[in-house]
Amino acid sequence: MNSDHIQLKKSIVSLLIQKKILVSDELIHVLNDPELLERLGKEVTSADFDVNLVFQWVAKKEKIPTVLFNPLEVVFSYKDIPRKRECRDFVSYLNARYEALQKMLQQRQELQGLTSISRVLEKKDKDTLAVIAMVNTKEYTKQGNLILTVEDPTGMIKVLVNKTKQDLFTLANDLVLDEVVGIIGKTGDRIIFANAIIFPDVPLTKELKKGPDDVYAIFLSDVHVGSKYFLRENLERFIRWISGEEGTDEQKAIASKIGYVFVVGDLIDGVGIYPGQENELLIKDVKDQYAEFAKIFSGIPHHIKLIICPGNHDAVRLSEPQLELYHEFAQPLWDMPNAVLVTNPALINIARAPDFPGFDILVYHGYSFDYYASHVGGIRNNGGYERGDLIMKFLLQRRHLAPTHTSTLYIPDIEKDALIIHKVPDIFATGHIHKSAVANYRNITLISGSCWQSTTAFQEKVGHKPEPCKVPIVNLKTRHVTVLNFGDEQGYERGGEE
Ligand SMILES: [Fe+2]
Ligand SMILES: [Fe+2]
């Protein structure tokens, strides 16, 4: 047995011990035979060794329930390199963003005859062409037409969108500052008369992936532990259900197949988040709030992976990308054996199997949502803040989690814009609006978690109507989404289904 064999054997055995799994003589025989072990290695992985895949192979042979091993890989979680930020970093940051989105748009067939703005400005005769540009200003003329100023690295130009082109005008009305789009139009004297606007968007051809195993993923957010409005009893009921202690037989059967629980930000209510908050806190120290969160969530069975990202109430910097929760404040969470702490945003791959690539889950708390709910007519006039799904769709079309400079606080990373949606996810999960929403956009499941906090005085004042204690749950084999209700009125009754 060479060192590779020993390593492979060790990894498998330690995983089996960790999961408290007894195995058959046949498997012991495989593990002790270098040749069989090598064959096993080759069968499950062609290029590089992946203990997760080997373990799944073993589990299948041994008929171990799939839910006991829940493969997870953090594809993207932001790595911060502390350095002094300067004003010109914002310029480099916007350039990096432009280039990344430009690459996406260049793939689009509609954008033939692509040219730069400096070339358009030199043109004498009328011509149809296309540019990729960032929106700088947006104004309406006296006649009600829309005038944009757009910019690329070579220059700036005005774009006129005529109100008589109704579909285009509706689309252009919802453009936001700093977003990058393709514009097709006819040239005039230092102006483009727009005929079409193309968004980076997600492809139409994305398949609706379905996993091989009967495993479920749950999406929670906005727990707000520490607040006097925190709905502890309802959350505890959820914990009893997921532990298999409560619910009908059917509900218990689902609970036993849950492999993943995501918590998409605002774990605690925090301290000093808004004026007068101290009067609304039961626990006034963030460390104690996190300790309480960890105490409650440690009731979730440990074979279930618990993926956690911060939100604007958590005790990390507000600027995005928000880093993983600090050890200093949230050590009890780091100590949980099944917790995976990531940044906001982050991309996580779950449920990968030997013949299945797994699902990519994009998590983003949603601090930028307030801006788009109020600034985009198409969202504002169709339910606004209540419609997390419309906001998510809007951001996927822009391939950016906060396209407008002022829509969120962010750290200008000059190398890479971490808020760009580089990889198209299978599931886009958010929180922040305290109301669960489920939708499908081009085979991407959009999920907004609800909350575990009743209506606060502030929400009452601004007219937000939270819907607490809803639990969206995705069957990864069928991709059906069910919303369980742990609220007082309806007990365990089902809410909506996709
Ligand atoms: Fe929240
Ligand atoms: Fe929030």
Side-chain angles (χ1 to χ4, degrees), residues 222 224 264-266 311-313 365-367 370 385 431-434:
D222 301 274
H224 289 269
V264 193
D266 284 0
N312 55 304
H313 277 255
H365 176 62
Y367 191 57
D370 304 47
Y385 197 75
H432 191 60
I433 58 172
H434 289 214

Side-chain angles (χ1 to χ4, degrees), residues 238-248 251-253 255-256 299 301:
F238 163 78
I239 302 282
R240 286 199 298 279
W241 165 72
I242 203 171
S243 314
E245 291 166 19
E246 255 185 56
T248 63
Q251 287 153 355
K252 280 184 180 168
S256 71

